[in-house]
Structures are given as structure tokens and as C-alpha cells.
Amino acid sequence: QMQLVESGGGSVQAGGSLRLSCVASGHTVTAYCMAWFRQRPGRAREAVAHITSDGETSYPDSVNSDSVKGRFTISRDNAKNILYLQMSSLKPEDTAMYYCAADLRPPVYSGPAHCASLSYGYWGHGAQVTVSS
């Protein structure tokens, strides 16, 4: 059974930066796909970024259109089993609960597009990010 624990959330003023971390434990294989999702107040949960175990990344168009592209960067350290989300130039509309997700199933095909199509099997409890104007 895999456990995911997020940290690094908090309150920041617009224009500031935060780095979220997600420590994975309890698994014996490296998750091919990991991702960050967020749920903003009054809105459905949305994917922010996906990353494969090879480090290939994708940022969903719906999030890119909301000006996340170029401000958020997903990365992972497979040796330490940690997933990161570096967030810069934060805006009040980035206020959300941010969730780490992972999937242990082998990929049907390689590349981040596979991760974007997944229904992730494991989730963390979330880290709150609040951006004030």
C-alpha cells in the first residue's frame, strides 16, 4: 500500500513562491506516473502537471490556459521518492488545496500522455495554498 504525504503549503502574497513536496512510501516499485492536482474553491479538481519516472512532464491545456504554464514546474527525485511542485509568481487564483497522486500500474505506453489519461490509484491528503492579493 502506497502512502503519499504532502508538505510545503501555506499562505503567501501574490508574486511569491512556494515549493510543495510529496513523500511517497510503502511501495516496492517506482511509480511510472505521478502528478499534482488542485481543487480551487467552488471548482472541480483539476490536474496541474504530470511526470513520468523518466522525468517527462506535461501540463494540461486547461491549466495552461489559466496561466500556470511557465510559473509551475513539476519534478521528482526517484532515489528519495519525493515529488515536487515549484510554484512561482503566485496569483490569488492559485489558491487551492493541492494533491499529490501516483499510480503503480505499468504504463500502457510510454510518455506523459499516458499519465494524463490515468485515473490515479493513490492520493495524498492535500496541502493548502493560499495566495493573498
Side-chain angles (χ1 to χ4, degrees):
Q1 192 74 358
M2 188 180 201
Q3 291 84 44
L4 301 171
V5 179
E6 301 95 336
S7 62
S11 297
V12 64
Q13 288 192 326
S17 299
L18 283 174
R19 187 176 77 161
L20 302 181
S21 299
C22 171
V23 178
S25 62
H27 58 294
T28 58
V29 297
T30 299
Y32 182 76
C33 294
M34 297 190 77
W36 287 100
F37 287 74
R38 70 181 181 184
Q39 186 161 20
R40 294 183 278 182
R43 301 179 67 163
R45 187 173 62 191
E46 61 184 346
V48 175
H50 304 272
I51 186 168
T52 70
S53 56
D54 301 319
E56 294 182 271
T57 62
S58 71
Y59 299 84
D61 288 340
S62 59
V63 177
N64 285 333
S65 66
D66 210 3
S67 302
V68 167
K69 186 177 182 180
R71 298 191 298 119
F72 289 11
T73 302
I74 188 172
S75 62
R76 62 190 287 179
D77 185 329
N78 291 332
K80 296 181 179 178
N81 293 315
I82 302 177
L83 178 72
Y84 300 101
L85 184 68
Q86 178 68 47
M87 302 183 291
S88 303
S89 302
L90 283 161
K91 304 176 181 180
E93 51 263 42
D94 295 318
T95 294
M97 185 71 80
Y98 285 76
Y99 297 91
C100 168
D103 201 87
L104 296 177
R105 292 169 290 180
V108 175
Y109 52 91
S110 62
H114 163 73
C115 302
S117 70
L118 274 182
S119 177
Y120 282 81
Y122 296 92
W123 293 84
H125 291 294
Q128 178 66 41
V129 172
T130 302
V131 185
S132 58
S133 57

